[in-house]
């Protein structure tokens, strides 16, 4: 049954839900009470609009094997998706009690606290989950022999970042050998977009890949982080005068805050999420968290009560790009208000009209699901054409912020920045509130 279950999980992870369900049910024919299979099938049922059935199946697993932490974790996920946040938190905490070294559940607790508006409390759980996943002690599996592959863009970025850290005197001696293996693997790959590594190279690079090699925990500013000289009344008036809600303005952060976030993003090795277009993401669940970020997010929310209303922070992330590539394609985000700001210096920009953000003045229909308004570009283009939507282009500037109704479709402009690690375009995004309650 082991091979059958592995096949089912692979289809589940690839979103081939019908095939995965059939395979899970075949597994249960062989072992009718297998808790792992029931837990996975229950999760799949919940993911395919059968939340009640999924919850019932997972609860059956818990009744039979109350010490099975993955079932408690998946129950929490089902309850969270159903909006039963307090129950979800209790389930996640039980999973963490049963299995303290379970990285995903600590991240889930943190994200549930964020959803409840308890953002400051979330830090401990999110950082615990990130450390369990990416700390230097979690290397055993990665250091097993055997070649592996890595995207060229990711490897080039990580080599540049480690070179930068080494130049700043911030790279420990035990990580230096990885630099040579990275250069060697890249040279052997030539122009290939996927870099194949030998067993030796893989073991060397595993010491730094997806690891917290260095982390700068940017402290909160003693004074304000958001520029106190901003014309709040004018910003709010401009936001609402646009109709659907959009405004941008410069000098967003104080100099201390801007420099602190820039150092945070340049030094910290949390750029773990890879995307096909060659850019990298740093996520809240994977270490993208520091006191300064929280200070900025809270000060902004409190400074603009007309825009943010009762909305609290729900998520944040950052993206970092190669010097020349297409930007993030057309999409909308699951929130009420989107805040996007840029921290790379203007002199890194090669073309004055590149690197900005285009926002259309039409909201994604509320009956569209996430996949449609975030990934189905053909449907989005057809909708914008039919609605005769108007595009607003916001040019790139360091310390410029764009705030808009998160239901509005938007895309990143072409990336045309100078070569070199410190010239890579970095944007930070905050999401506030729920799109259903904008």
């Amino acid at each position: 049954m082991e091979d059958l279950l592995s096949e089912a999980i692979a289809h589940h992870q690839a979103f081939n839900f019908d095939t995965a369900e059939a395979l899970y049910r075949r597994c249960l024919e062989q072992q009718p009470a297998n808790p792992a299979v029931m837990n996975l099938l229950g999760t799949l049922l919940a993911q395919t609009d059968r939340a009640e059935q999924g919850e019932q199946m997972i609860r059956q697993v818990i009744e039979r094997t109350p010490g099975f932490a993955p079932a408690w974790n998946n129950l929490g996920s089902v309850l969270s998706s159903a909006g039963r946040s307090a129950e979800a938190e209790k389930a996640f905490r039980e999973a963490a009690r049963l299995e303290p070294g379970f990285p995903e559940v600590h991240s889930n607790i943190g994200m549930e606290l964020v959803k409840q508006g308890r953002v400051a409390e979330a830090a401990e759980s999110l950082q615990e989950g990130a450390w369990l996943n990416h700390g230097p002690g979690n290397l055993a599996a990665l250091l097993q022999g055997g070649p592996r592959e890595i995207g060229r863009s990711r490897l080039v970025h990580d080599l540049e970042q480690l070179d930068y850290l080494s130049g700043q005197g911030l790279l420990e001696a035990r990580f230096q050998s990885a630099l040579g293996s990275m250069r060697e693997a890249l040279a052997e790959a030539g122009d290939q977009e996927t870099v194949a590594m030998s067993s030796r190279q893989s073991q060397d690079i595993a010491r730094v890949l997806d690891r917290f090699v260095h982390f700068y925990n940017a402290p909160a500013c003693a004074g304000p982080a958001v520029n106190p000289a901003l014309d709040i009344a004018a910003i709010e008036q401009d936001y609402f005068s646009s109709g659907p809600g959009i405004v941008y303005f410069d000098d967003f952060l104080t100099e201390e805050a801007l420099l602190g976030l820039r150092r945070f993003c340049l030094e910290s090795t949390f750029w773990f999420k890879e995307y096909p277009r060659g850019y990298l993401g740093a996520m809240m669940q994977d270490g993208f968290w520091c006191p300064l970020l929280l200070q900025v997010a809270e000060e902004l929310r409190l400074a603009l009560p007309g825009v943010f209303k009762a909305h609290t922070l729900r998520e944040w992330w950052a993206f970092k790009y190669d010097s020349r590539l297409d930007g993030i394609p057309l999409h909308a985000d699951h929130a009420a208000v989107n805040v996007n700001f840029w921290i790379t210096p203007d002199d890194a920009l090669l073309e004055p009209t590149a690197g900005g953000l285009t926002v259309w003045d039409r909201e994604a229909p509320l009956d569209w699901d996430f996949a449609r308004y975030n990934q189905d570009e053909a449907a989005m283009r057809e909708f914008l054409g039919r609605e005769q939507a108007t595009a607003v282009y916001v040019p790139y500037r360091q310390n410029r912020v764009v705030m808009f109704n998160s239901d509005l479709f938007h895309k990143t402009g072409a990336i045309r920045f100078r070569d070199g690690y410190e010239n890579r375009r970095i944007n930070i995004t905050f999401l506030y509130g729920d799109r259903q309650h904008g």
Side-chain angles (χ1 to χ4, degrees):
M1 193 190 78
E2 186 175 335
D3 290 342
L4 190 63
L5 180 57
S6 296
E7 185 181 355
I9 292 171
H11 281 287
H12 193 165
Q13 292 174 340
F15 305 104
N16 300 323
F17 293 131
D18 290 344
T19 303
E21 180 177 351
L23 292 170
Y24 284 143
R25 293 192 184 280
R26 283 176 57 192
C27 290
L28 287 177
E29 289 173 3
Q30 297 180 27
Q31 295 183 13
N34 186 296
V37 178
M38 291 179 67
N39 182 42
L40 290 166
L41 178 56
T43 304
L44 184 148
L45 292 172
Q47 288 176 310
T48 52
D49 297 324
R50 290 170 286 176
E52 187 174 342
Q53 294 178 48
E55 180 183 344
Q56 289 176 353
M57 181 165 285
I58 295 171
R59 288 192 183 278
Q60 288 178 29
V61 175
I62 290 171
E63 288 174 8
R64 296 172 183 175
T65 53
F68 188 44
W72 285 101
N73 181 57
N74 286 3
L75 176 63
S77 296
V78 172
L79 295 170
S80 179
S81 296
R84 296 154 64 184
S85 188
E87 295 175 76
E89 182 189 344
K90 289 177 67 174
F92 288 139
R93 290 196 183 279
E94 179 62 13
R97 185 190 70 80
L98 291 167
E99 192 175 328
F102 190 170
E104 181 185 339
V105 77
H106 291 285
S107 297
N108 286 340
I109 291 170
M111 294 305 292
E112 205 60 42
L113 294 175
V114 171
K115 185 184 291 187
Q116 296 172 21
R118 297 156 63 189
V119 181
E121 290 180 58
E124 182 178 355
S125 293
L126 287 170
Q127 290 172 337
E128 177 70 13
W131 188 256
L132 286 169
N133 258 330
H134 304 291
N138 188 14
L139 287 173
L142 291 172
L143 292 178
Q144 298 298 318
R148 57 176 295 177
E149 295 181 338
I150 183 172
R152 182 182 184 81
S153 294
R154 170 68 188 281
L155 192 55
V156 168
H157 166 271
D158 286 8
L159 176 57
E160 286 185 0
Q161 185 173 32
L162 294 181
D163 271 333
Y164 174 81
L165 291 173
S166 184
Q168 300 290 316
L170 298 173
L171 186 66
E172 295 180 39
R174 63 188 173 126
F175 298 126
Q176 291 286 348
S177 64
L179 298 177
S181 288
M182 286 177 161
R183 291 191 183 93
E184 185 180 86
L186 282 167
E188 291 170 357
D191 294 331
Q192 297 295 317
E193 287 303 312
T194 300
V195 178
M197 297 179 288
S198 68
S199 178
R200 176 186 57 78
Q201 290 166 347
S202 176
Q203 290 190 25
D204 245 358
I205 294 170
R207 299 181 184 280
V208 297
L209 187 66
D210 290 339
R211 303 292 104 205
F212 290 133
V213 173
H214 180 77
F215 184 84
Y216 173 64
N217 193 28
C221 300
V226 173
N227 182 359
L230 295 174
D231 189 338
I232 299 300
I235 291 169
E236 291 200 329
Q237 182 179 352
D238 288 347
Y239 184 86
F240 291 108
S241 66
S242 69
I246 178 173
V247 66
Y248 68 92
F249 53 90
D250 294 328
D251 303 317
F252 169 47
L253 301 173
T254 62
E255 183 178 5
E256 180 185 0
L258 178 62
L259 292 174
L261 286 181
R262 182 140 172 82
R263 181 179 172 189
F264 175 63
C265 290
L266 287 174
E267 291 186 9
S268 302
T269 59
F270 44 41
W271 301 96
F272 303 138
K273 193 166 178 62
E274 303 173 53
Y275 294 87
R277 291 172 179 255
Y279 57 93
L280 302 175
M283 302 293 144
M284 182 182 274
Q285 305 94 313
D286 287 325
F288 189 65
W289 187 286
C290 66
L292 179 54
L293 268 176
L294 182 59
Q295 181 185 13
V296 172
E298 284 296 286
E299 282 187 14
L300 178 63
R301 182 179 68 85
L302 295 173
L304 296 166
V307 172
F308 292 102
K309 304 175 186 176
H311 299 313
T312 56
L313 180 75
R314 290 306 173 92
E315 195 166 358
W316 63 38
W317 61 72
F319 289 135
K320 190 190 286 187
Y321 302 77
D322 279 353
S323 57
R324 295 171 188 80
L325 75 163
D326 293 334
I328 296 174
L330 185 66
H331 68 287
D333 292 309
H334 187 79
V337 181
N338 185 308
V339 176
N340 194 301
F341 60 99
W342 303 312
I343 65 172
T344 301
D346 293 343
D347 61 12
L349 189 63
L350 282 172
E351 299 177 12
T353 59
L357 187 73
T358 300
V359 185
W360 280 263
D361 64 350
R362 291 293 184 274
E363 301 174 72
L366 281 176
D367 61 351
W368 282 22
D369 61 19
F370 179 80
R372 195 171 186 192
Y373 66 73
N374 195 265
Q375 299 166 18
D376 190 345
E377 187 163 354
M380 290 182 267
R381 294 282 181 190
E382 191 277 332
F383 171 80
L384 292 173
R386 186 175 70 247
E387 294 291 314
Q388 298 182 319
T390 299
V392 176
Y393 182 69
V394 181
Y396 180 91
R397 294 289 183 276
Q398 185 186 38
N399 209 13
R400 172 172 286 174
V401 61
V402 190
M403 293 177 14
F404 55 95
N405 175 341
S406 202
D407 274 338
L408 298 179
F409 291 106
H410 54 284
K411 73 180 292 291
T412 304
I415 309 300
R416 301 292 183 269
F417 282 67
R418 299 184 188 281
D419 292 331
Y421 179 67
E422 294 178 72
N423 293 321
R424 286 174 177 260
R425 181 189 188 275
I426 298 174
N427 71 272
I428 296 174
T429 296
F430 295 156
L431 297 184
Y432 295 83
D434 293 320
R435 72 184 298 252
Q436 291 88 349
H437 304 102

